[in-house]
Short mmCIF file of all heavy atoms in Angstrom, two decimals:
data_model
loop_
_atom_site.label_atom_id
_atom_site.label_comp_id
_atom_site.label_asym_id
_atom_site.label_seq_id
_atom_site.Cartn_x
_atom_site.Cartn_y
_atom_site.Cartn_z
N MET H 1 49.26 43.68 52.51
CA MET H 1 50.09 44.71 51.92
C MET H 1 49.49 45.13 50.58
O MET H 1 49.03 44.33 49.80
CB MET H 1 51.50 44.20 51.73
CG MET H 1 52.26 43.97 53.01
SD MET H 1 53.91 43.34 52.71
CE MET H 1 54.71 44.78 52.17
N ARG H 2 49.58 46.40 50.32
CA ARG H 2 49.02 46.95 49.11
C ARG H 2 49.84 46.54 47.89
O ARG H 2 49.28 46.42 46.79
CB ARG H 2 49.00 48.48 49.19
CG ARG H 2 48.38 49.13 48.03
CD ARG H 2 48.35 50.63 48.16
NE ARG H 2 48.03 51.22 46.89
CZ ARG H 2 46.84 51.70 46.57
NH1 ARG H 2 45.90 51.64 47.44
NH2 ARG H 2 46.64 52.19 45.38
N ALA H 3 51.08 46.24 48.06
CA ALA H 3 51.95 45.89 46.90
C ALA H 3 51.47 44.60 46.25
O ALA H 3 51.60 44.43 45.03
CB ALA H 3 53.40 45.74 47.36
N PHE H 4 50.91 43.69 47.02
CA PHE H 4 50.45 42.42 46.41
C PHE H 4 49.23 42.61 45.53
O PHE H 4 48.95 41.72 44.73
CB PHE H 4 50.19 41.40 47.52
CG PHE H 4 51.47 40.91 48.15
CD1 PHE H 4 51.76 41.17 49.48
CD2 PHE H 4 52.37 40.16 47.40
CE1 PHE H 4 52.92 40.72 50.02
CE2 PHE H 4 53.53 39.67 47.97
CZ PHE H 4 53.82 39.96 49.28
N LYS H 5 48.53 43.70 45.66
CA LYS H 5 47.42 43.98 44.73
C LYS H 5 47.93 44.14 43.31
O LYS H 5 47.24 43.90 42.34
CB LYS H 5 46.67 45.23 45.12
CG LYS H 5 45.77 45.07 46.31
CD LYS H 5 45.01 46.37 46.51
CE LYS H 5 44.11 46.26 47.71
NZ LYS H 5 43.42 47.52 47.96
N PHE H 6 49.17 44.62 43.18
CA PHE H 6 49.78 44.83 41.86
C PHE H 6 50.68 43.68 41.48
O PHE H 6 50.78 43.36 40.28
CB PHE H 6 50.59 46.13 41.86
CG PHE H 6 49.77 47.35 42.12
CD1 PHE H 6 49.84 48.02 43.31
CD2 PHE H 6 48.92 47.84 41.15
CE1 PHE H 6 49.09 49.13 43.57
CE2 PHE H 6 48.14 48.96 41.37
CZ PHE H 6 48.24 49.64 42.59
N VAL H 7 51.31 43.05 42.42
CA VAL H 7 52.31 42.04 42.11
C VAL H 7 51.68 40.78 41.57
O VAL H 7 52.09 40.25 40.52
CB VAL H 7 53.18 41.73 43.35
CG1 VAL H 7 54.09 40.54 43.10
CG2 VAL H 7 53.99 42.93 43.77
N ILE H 8 50.65 40.26 42.23
CA ILE H 8 50.05 38.99 41.83
C ILE H 8 49.44 39.04 40.43
O ILE H 8 49.69 38.17 39.60
CB ILE H 8 49.06 38.50 42.89
CG1 ILE H 8 49.83 38.37 44.18
CG2 ILE H 8 48.34 37.27 42.45
CD1 ILE H 8 49.56 37.33 45.12
N PRO H 9 48.61 40.09 40.11
CA PRO H 9 48.09 40.17 38.74
C PRO H 9 49.20 40.32 37.71
O PRO H 9 49.12 39.76 36.61
CB PRO H 9 47.18 41.37 38.75
CG PRO H 9 46.80 41.54 40.14
CD PRO H 9 47.98 41.09 40.95
N MET H 10 50.27 41.05 38.05
CA MET H 10 51.35 41.24 37.11
C MET H 10 52.08 39.91 36.85
O MET H 10 52.43 39.59 35.70
CB MET H 10 52.34 42.27 37.63
CG MET H 10 53.53 42.49 36.79
SD MET H 10 53.65 44.02 35.86
CE MET H 10 52.65 45.16 36.69
N VAL H 11 52.30 39.15 37.87
CA VAL H 11 52.94 37.83 37.76
C VAL H 11 52.12 36.90 36.87
O VAL H 11 52.65 36.23 35.98
CB VAL H 11 53.21 37.22 39.13
CG1 VAL H 11 53.58 35.74 39.04
CG2 VAL H 11 54.31 37.96 39.85
N LEU H 12 50.82 36.88 37.10
CA LEU H 12 49.95 36.02 36.30
C LEU H 12 49.88 36.49 34.83
O LEU H 12 49.87 35.66 33.92
CB LEU H 12 48.55 36.01 36.92
CG LEU H 12 48.45 35.35 38.29
CD1 LEU H 12 47.04 35.50 38.84
CD2 LEU H 12 48.90 33.90 38.25
N LEU H 13 49.86 37.77 34.63
CA LEU H 13 49.83 38.31 33.26
C LEU H 13 51.13 37.96 32.53
O LEU H 13 51.08 37.51 31.36
CB LEU H 13 49.61 39.83 33.29
CG LEU H 13 49.57 40.52 31.94
CD1 LEU H 13 48.28 40.14 31.24
CD2 LEU H 13 49.66 42.01 32.13
N VAL H 14 52.24 38.17 33.15
CA VAL H 14 53.52 37.85 32.52
C VAL H 14 53.64 36.37 32.26
O VAL H 14 54.09 35.95 31.19
CB VAL H 14 54.69 38.33 33.42
CG1 VAL H 14 56.02 37.76 32.97
CG2 VAL H 14 54.77 39.85 33.40
N GLY H 15 53.18 35.55 33.18
CA GLY H 15 53.23 34.11 32.98
C GLY H 15 52.36 33.66 31.83
O GLY H 15 52.78 32.83 31.00
N GLY H 16 51.18 34.22 31.74
CA GLY H 16 50.29 33.84 30.64
C GLY H 16 50.82 34.27 29.29
O GLY H 16 50.80 33.50 28.32
N VAL H 17 51.33 35.49 29.21
CA VAL H 17 51.86 35.99 27.95
C VAL H 17 53.09 35.23 27.53
O VAL H 17 53.27 34.88 26.36
CB VAL H 17 52.11 37.52 28.03
CG1 VAL H 17 52.92 37.98 26.83
CG2 VAL H 17 50.81 38.25 28.16
N ALA H 18 53.96 34.94 28.51
CA ALA H 18 55.19 34.18 28.20
C ALA H 18 54.85 32.78 27.72
O ALA H 18 55.46 32.29 26.76
CB ALA H 18 56.08 34.13 29.46
N TRP H 19 53.90 32.14 28.36
CA TRP H 19 53.52 30.77 27.97
C TRP H 19 52.94 30.74 26.56
O TRP H 19 53.29 29.89 25.75
CB TRP H 19 52.55 30.17 28.96
CG TRP H 19 52.25 28.74 28.69
CD1 TRP H 19 51.12 28.24 28.19
CD2 TRP H 19 53.15 27.64 28.93
NE1 TRP H 19 51.25 26.87 28.08
CE2 TRP H 19 52.49 26.47 28.52
CE3 TRP H 19 54.46 27.53 29.41
CZ2 TRP H 19 53.05 25.22 28.58
CZ3 TRP H 19 55.02 26.28 29.50
CH2 TRP H 19 54.33 25.17 29.07
N VAL H 20 52.07 31.70 26.25
CA VAL H 20 51.44 31.76 24.92
C VAL H 20 52.49 32.06 23.85
O VAL H 20 52.52 31.41 22.80
CB VAL H 20 50.32 32.85 24.89
CG1 VAL H 20 49.88 33.15 23.46
CG2 VAL H 20 49.15 32.38 25.73
N MET H 21 53.40 33.01 24.14
CA MET H 21 54.44 33.34 23.15
C MET H 21 55.37 32.17 22.90
O MET H 21 55.79 31.90 21.79
CB MET H 21 55.22 34.58 23.60
CG MET H 21 54.43 35.85 23.47
SD MET H 21 55.36 37.29 23.99
CE MET H 21 56.63 37.35 22.74
N LEU H 22 55.76 31.49 23.99
CA LEU H 22 56.69 30.35 23.84
C LEU H 22 56.01 29.22 23.12
O LEU H 22 56.67 28.50 22.30
CB LEU H 22 57.20 29.90 25.19
CG LEU H 22 58.24 30.82 25.86
CD1 LEU H 22 58.52 30.36 27.26
CD2 LEU H 22 59.54 30.79 25.04
N ASN H 23 54.75 28.97 23.37
CA ASN H 23 54.04 27.87 22.69
C ASN H 23 53.74 28.20 21.22
O ASN H 23 53.68 27.30 20.39
CB ASN H 23 52.71 27.56 23.38
CG ASN H 23 52.93 26.72 24.63
OD1 ASN H 23 53.93 25.96 24.70
ND2 ASN H 23 52.07 26.82 25.58
N LYS H 24 53.58 29.47 20.90
CA LYS H 24 53.29 29.88 19.54
C LYS H 24 54.51 29.95 18.67
O LYS H 24 54.51 29.48 17.55
CB LYS H 24 52.57 31.23 19.57
CG LYS H 24 52.16 31.73 18.20
CD LYS H 24 51.47 33.07 18.34
CE LYS H 24 51.12 33.62 16.97
NZ LYS H 24 50.57 34.97 17.05
N ASN H 25 55.57 30.56 19.17
CA ASN H 25 56.74 30.85 18.36
C ASN H 25 57.89 29.85 18.50
O ASN H 25 58.77 29.81 17.64
CB ASN H 25 57.26 32.27 18.66
CG ASN H 25 56.22 33.32 18.35
OD1 ASN H 25 55.43 33.16 17.45
ND2 ASN H 25 56.23 34.38 19.11
N PHE H 26 57.97 29.17 19.62
CA PHE H 26 59.13 28.30 19.88
C PHE H 26 58.66 26.89 20.23
O PHE H 26 58.94 26.36 21.31
CB PHE H 26 59.95 28.88 21.03
CG PHE H 26 60.48 30.25 20.75
CD1 PHE H 26 59.87 31.37 21.27
CD2 PHE H 26 61.58 30.42 19.95
CE1 PHE H 26 60.35 32.61 20.98
CE2 PHE H 26 62.10 31.66 19.65
CZ PHE H 26 61.46 32.77 20.20
N THR H 27 57.99 26.23 19.29
CA THR H 27 57.48 24.88 19.53
C THR H 27 58.57 23.85 19.53
O THR H 27 58.36 22.73 20.05
CB THR H 27 56.42 24.52 18.50
OG1 THR H 27 56.96 24.66 17.20
CG2 THR H 27 55.20 25.41 18.63
N ASP H 28 59.76 24.17 18.99
CA ASP H 28 60.84 23.21 18.97
C ASP H 28 61.57 23.11 20.31
O ASP H 28 62.30 22.17 20.56
CB ASP H 28 61.84 23.55 17.86
CG ASP H 28 62.33 24.95 17.91
OD1 ASP H 28 61.66 25.80 18.54
OD2 ASP H 28 63.43 25.23 17.34
N VAL H 29 61.33 24.06 21.22
CA VAL H 29 61.92 24.02 22.56
C VAL H 29 61.10 23.01 23.39
O VAL H 29 59.87 23.00 23.32
CB VAL H 29 61.90 25.40 23.20
CG1 VAL H 29 62.40 25.37 24.63
CG2 VAL H 29 62.66 26.38 22.38
N PRO H 30 61.76 22.15 24.17
CA PRO H 30 61.04 21.17 24.96
C PRO H 30 60.07 21.84 25.98
O PRO H 30 60.32 22.97 26.42
CB PRO H 30 62.13 20.42 25.76
CG PRO H 30 63.38 20.63 24.93
CD PRO H 30 63.20 21.95 24.27
N VAL H 31 59.03 21.12 26.29
CA VAL H 31 57.95 21.69 27.15
C VAL H 31 58.48 22.09 28.53
O VAL H 31 58.15 23.15 29.05
CB VAL H 31 56.77 20.69 27.28
CG1 VAL H 31 55.73 21.22 28.26
CG2 VAL H 31 56.17 20.44 25.94
N MET H 32 59.33 21.25 29.12
CA MET H 32 59.84 21.60 30.45
C MET H 32 60.75 22.84 30.42
O MET H 32 60.74 23.61 31.35
CB MET H 32 60.60 20.40 31.05
CG MET H 32 59.71 19.28 31.52
SD MET H 32 58.38 19.80 32.62
CE MET H 32 59.28 20.30 34.06
N SER H 33 61.47 23.02 29.34
CA SER H 33 62.29 24.23 29.22
C SER H 33 61.42 25.45 29.08
O SER H 33 61.69 26.50 29.70
CB SER H 33 63.21 24.13 28.02
OG SER H 33 64.15 23.08 28.17
N ARG H 34 60.32 25.34 28.33
CA ARG H 34 59.38 26.45 28.20
C ARG H 34 58.76 26.77 29.56
O ARG H 34 58.54 27.93 29.91
CB ARG H 34 58.31 26.16 27.19
CG ARG H 34 58.78 26.23 25.77
CD ARG H 34 57.67 26.00 24.80
NE ARG H 34 57.59 24.56 24.59
CZ ARG H 34 56.65 23.95 23.89
NH1 ARG H 34 55.66 24.66 23.38
NH2 ARG H 34 56.66 22.67 23.73
N PHE H 35 58.44 25.70 30.33
CA PHE H 35 57.88 25.92 31.65
C PHE H 35 58.86 26.62 32.55
O PHE H 35 58.47 27.57 33.31
CB PHE H 35 57.49 24.56 32.24
CG PHE H 35 57.00 24.65 33.66
CD1 PHE H 35 55.74 25.17 33.90
CD2 PHE H 35 57.76 24.21 34.71
CE1 PHE H 35 55.27 25.28 35.23
CE2 PHE H 35 57.33 24.30 36.01
CZ PHE H 35 56.07 24.83 36.27
N TYR H 36 60.13 26.23 32.55
CA TYR H 36 61.14 26.87 33.38
C TYR H 36 61.40 28.31 32.98
O TYR H 36 61.59 29.18 33.83
CB TYR H 36 62.45 26.08 33.39
CG TYR H 36 62.32 24.75 34.11
CD1 TYR H 36 62.95 23.64 33.60
CD2 TYR H 36 61.60 24.62 35.29
CE1 TYR H 36 62.86 22.41 34.25
CE2 TYR H 36 61.51 23.41 35.96
CZ TYR H 36 62.12 22.31 35.44
OH TYR H 36 62.03 21.11 36.08
N ILE H 37 61.38 28.58 31.71
CA ILE H 37 61.54 29.97 31.21
C ILE H 37 60.35 30.82 31.67
O ILE H 37 60.54 31.95 32.16
CB ILE H 37 61.67 30.01 29.67
CG1 ILE H 37 62.98 29.36 29.24
CG2 ILE H 37 61.56 31.42 29.15
CD1 ILE H 37 63.08 29.10 27.78
N THR H 38 59.15 30.29 31.57
CA THR H 38 57.95 31.02 32.02
C THR H 38 58.00 31.26 33.51
O THR H 38 57.70 32.34 34.01
CB THR H 38 56.70 30.22 31.65
OG1 THR H 38 56.67 30.05 30.23
CG2 THR H 38 55.44 30.94 32.07
N LEU H 39 58.38 30.24 34.28
CA LEU H 39 58.48 30.35 35.74
C LEU H 39 59.52 31.40 36.12
O LEU H 39 59.29 32.22 37.01
CB LEU H 39 58.83 29.01 36.34
CG LEU H 39 58.70 28.89 37.86
CD1 LEU H 39 57.23 29.03 38.23
CD2 LEU H 39 59.23 27.53 38.28
N GLY H 40 60.65 31.43 35.44
CA GLY H 40 61.66 32.42 35.72
C GLY H 40 61.20 33.83 35.41
O GLY H 40 61.49 34.78 36.13
N ALA H 41 60.46 33.97 34.32
CA ALA H 41 59.91 35.29 33.95
C ALA H 41 58.90 35.75 35.01
O ALA H 41 58.88 36.94 35.35
CB ALA H 41 59.26 35.23 32.58
N MET H 42 58.10 34.81 35.51
CA MET H 42 57.12 35.19 36.52
C MET H 42 57.79 35.62 37.82
O MET H 42 57.40 36.65 38.41
CB MET H 42 56.20 33.98 36.79
CG MET H 42 55.26 33.66 35.68
SD MET H 42 54.36 32.12 35.90
CE MET H 42 53.26 32.57 37.22
N VAL H 43 58.81 34.92 38.24
CA VAL H 43 59.52 35.26 39.48
C VAL H 43 60.22 36.60 39.32
O VAL H 43 60.14 37.48 40.21
CB VAL H 43 60.52 34.13 39.87
CG1 VAL H 43 61.45 34.60 40.96
CG2 VAL H 43 59.74 32.89 40.29
N LEU H 44 60.93 36.77 38.20
CA LEU H 44 61.67 38.02 37.99
C LEU H 44 60.71 39.22 37.93
O LEU H 44 60.98 40.26 38.54
CB LEU H 44 62.47 37.94 36.71
CG LEU H 44 63.38 39.11 36.41
CD1 LEU H 44 64.47 39.24 37.47
CD2 LEU H 44 63.99 38.94 35.04
N SER H 45 59.61 39.08 37.24
CA SER H 45 58.66 40.21 37.15
C SER H 45 58.01 40.47 38.51
O SER H 45 57.74 41.64 38.84
CB SER H 45 57.59 39.96 36.11
OG SER H 45 56.74 38.91 36.52
N GLY H 46 57.77 39.43 39.30
CA GLY H 46 57.21 39.62 40.64
C GLY H 46 58.18 40.38 41.56
O GLY H 46 57.74 41.26 42.29
N VAL H 47 59.43 40.01 41.51
CA VAL H 47 60.42 40.68 42.39
C VAL H 47 60.59 42.14 41.96
O VAL H 47 60.60 43.05 42.80
CB VAL H 47 61.77 39.93 42.31
CG1 VAL H 47 62.88 40.73 42.95
CG2 VAL H 47 61.66 38.57 43.01
N ILE H 48 60.68 42.38 40.68
CA ILE H 48 60.88 43.76 40.19
C ILE H 48 59.63 44.60 40.53
O ILE H 48 59.75 45.72 41.03
CB ILE H 48 61.13 43.77 38.68
CG1 ILE H 48 62.52 43.22 38.41
CG2 ILE H 48 61.00 45.20 38.10
CD1 ILE H 48 62.83 43.01 36.95
N SER H 49 58.44 44.09 40.27
CA SER H 49 57.24 44.87 40.57
C SER H 49 57.02 45.04 42.05
O SER H 49 56.45 46.03 42.48
CB SER H 49 56.01 44.25 39.90
OG SER H 49 55.77 42.95 40.44
N PHE H 50 57.47 44.13 42.88
CA PHE H 50 57.32 44.24 44.33
C PHE H 50 58.12 45.44 44.84
O PHE H 50 57.65 46.18 45.70
CB PHE H 50 57.78 42.99 45.04
CG PHE H 50 57.68 43.08 46.55
CD1 PHE H 50 56.47 42.93 47.16
CD2 PHE H 50 58.81 43.32 47.32
CE1 PHE H 50 56.37 43.00 48.55
CE2 PHE H 50 58.72 43.40 48.69
CZ PHE H 50 57.50 43.24 49.30
N PHE H 51 59.29 45.67 44.29
CA PHE H 51 60.10 46.78 44.73
C PHE H 51 59.75 48.12 44.04
O PHE H 51 60.03 49.16 44.58
CB PHE H 51 61.57 46.46 44.54
CG PHE H 51 62.10 45.46 45.52
CD1 PHE H 51 62.48 44.21 45.08
CD2 PHE H 51 62.16 45.72 46.86
CE1 PHE H 51 62.93 43.24 45.95
CE2 PHE H 51 62.59 44.79 47.78
CZ PHE H 51 63.00 43.54 47.33
N LEU H 52 59.13 48.06 42.89
CA LEU H 52 58.81 49.28 42.17
C LEU H 52 57.47 49.88 42.59
O LEU H 52 57.32 51.09 42.63
CB LEU H 52 58.78 49.05 40.67
CG LEU H 52 60.15 48.88 40.02
CD1 LEU H 52 60.00 48.66 38.52
CD2 LEU H 52 61.04 50.07 40.28
N PHE H 53 56.47 49.07 42.91
CA PHE H 53 55.19 49.59 43.32
C PHE H 53 55.22 49.98 44.80
O PHE H 53 55.89 49.34 45.61
CB PHE H 53 54.09 48.57 43.10
CG PHE H 53 53.70 48.43 41.65
CD1 PHE H 53 53.90 47.26 40.96
CD2 PHE H 53 53.13 49.51 40.96
CE1 PHE H 53 53.56 47.14 39.62
CE2 PHE H 53 52.76 49.38 39.66
CZ PHE H 53 52.98 48.20 38.99
N PRO H 54 54.48 51.01 45.18
CA PRO H 54 54.51 51.48 46.58
C PRO H 54 53.87 50.45 47.50
O PRO H 54 52.89 49.82 47.17
CB PRO H 54 53.71 52.77 46.55
CG PRO H 54 52.82 52.64 45.36
CD PRO H 54 53.60 51.83 44.38
N LYS H 55 54.44 50.28 48.69
CA LYS H 55 53.90 49.34 49.66
C LYS H 55 52.64 49.91 50.30
O LYS H 55 51.61 49.27 50.37
CB LYS H 55 54.96 49.02 50.70
CG LYS H 55 56.08 48.21 50.15
CD LYS H 55 57.05 47.81 51.24
CE LYS H 55 58.12 46.89 50.81
NZ LYS H 55 58.96 47.24 49.73
N ASP H 56 52.72 51.13 50.84
CA ASP H 56 51.58 51.78 51.44
C ASP H 56 51.59 53.25 51.03
O ASP H 56 52.51 54.00 51.43
CB ASP H 56 51.65 51.69 52.98
CG ASP H 56 51.43 50.28 53.46
OD1 ASP H 56 50.58 49.59 52.87
OD2 ASP H 56 52.12 49.83 54.38
N GLU H 57 50.59 53.67 50.30
CA GLU H 57 50.55 55.07 49.89
C GLU H 57 50.10 56.00 51.02
O GLU H 57 50.36 57.16 51.00
CB GLU H 57 49.62 55.22 48.70
CG GLU H 57 50.21 54.69 47.41
CD GLU H 57 49.32 55.04 46.23
OE1 GLU H 57 48.39 55.85 46.38
OE2 GLU H 57 49.57 54.45 45.16
N GLY H 58 49.41 55.46 52.01
CA GLY H 58 48.88 56.28 53.08
C GLY H 58 49.92 56.75 54.07
O GLY H 58 49.69 57.64 54.86
N LYS H 59 51.10 56.20 54.07
CA LYS H 59 52.13 56.54 55.03
C LYS H 59 53.17 57.54 54.51
O LYS H 59 54.32 57.52 54.83
CB LYS H 59 52.88 55.29 55.48
CG LYS H 59 52.01 54.34 56.26
CD LYS H 59 52.84 53.17 56.77
CE LYS H 59 51.99 52.24 57.60
NZ LYS H 59 52.74 51.14 58.12
N ARG H 60 52.70 58.46 53.65
CA ARG H 60 53.60 59.50 53.15
C ARG H 60 53.78 60.58 54.25
O ARG H 60 52.91 60.81 55.03
CB ARG H 60 53.00 60.15 51.91
CG ARG H 60 53.00 59.25 50.75
CD ARG H 60 52.49 59.96 49.54
NE ARG H 60 52.36 59.05 48.40
CZ ARG H 60 51.85 59.40 47.26
NH1 ARG H 60 51.41 60.64 47.06
NH2 ARG H 60 51.75 58.53 46.30
N ARG H 61 54.91 61.24 54.14
CA ARG H 61 55.19 62.28 55.16
C ARG H 61 54.54 63.58 54.80
O ARG H 61 54.38 64.03 53.77
CB ARG H 61 56.69 62.53 55.28
CG ARG H 61 57.36 61.39 55.97
CD ARG H 61 58.78 61.75 56.16
NE ARG H 61 59.44 60.60 56.80
CZ ARG H 61 60.66 60.65 57.25
NH1 ARG H 61 61.37 61.74 57.16
NH2 ARG H 61 61.21 59.62 57.80
#
């Protein structure tokens, strides 16, 4: 599916940025909580981008 070309890089980008921001600015938050927050951000961004990006552009009417 064409949508996964956009979804997977977006999920990885959001996960990386979230992890860096949480480790830089919120060091007092426990590591497992930061991991769960990052994981939640990755899943949420993946679901949103899956529905927003076109699945197949070639099947237009």
Side-chain angles (χ1 to χ4, degrees):
M1 291 179 76
R2 183 179 167 103
F4 287 114
K5 285 185 182 178
F6 297 107
V7 173
I8 301 216
M10 177 107 24
V11 166
L12 294 175
L13 180 71
V14 167
V17 169
W19 187 254
V20 168
M21 287 180 67
L22 286 171
N23 281 333
K24 182 180 177 185
N25 299 328
F26 300 100
T27 55
D28 53 339
V29 177
V31 175
M32 286 308 294
S33 295
R34 286 184 272 173
F35 175 74
Y36 290 140
I37 291 169
T38 302
L39 192 65
M42 290 172 70
V43 169
L44 184 64
S45 70
V47 168
I48 289 172
S49 64
F50 179 78
F51 288 112
L52 287 180
F53 284 115
K55 291 185 175 56
D56 292 320
E57 286 187 12
K59 293 185 178 180
R60 292 184 185 175
R61 288 185 183 188

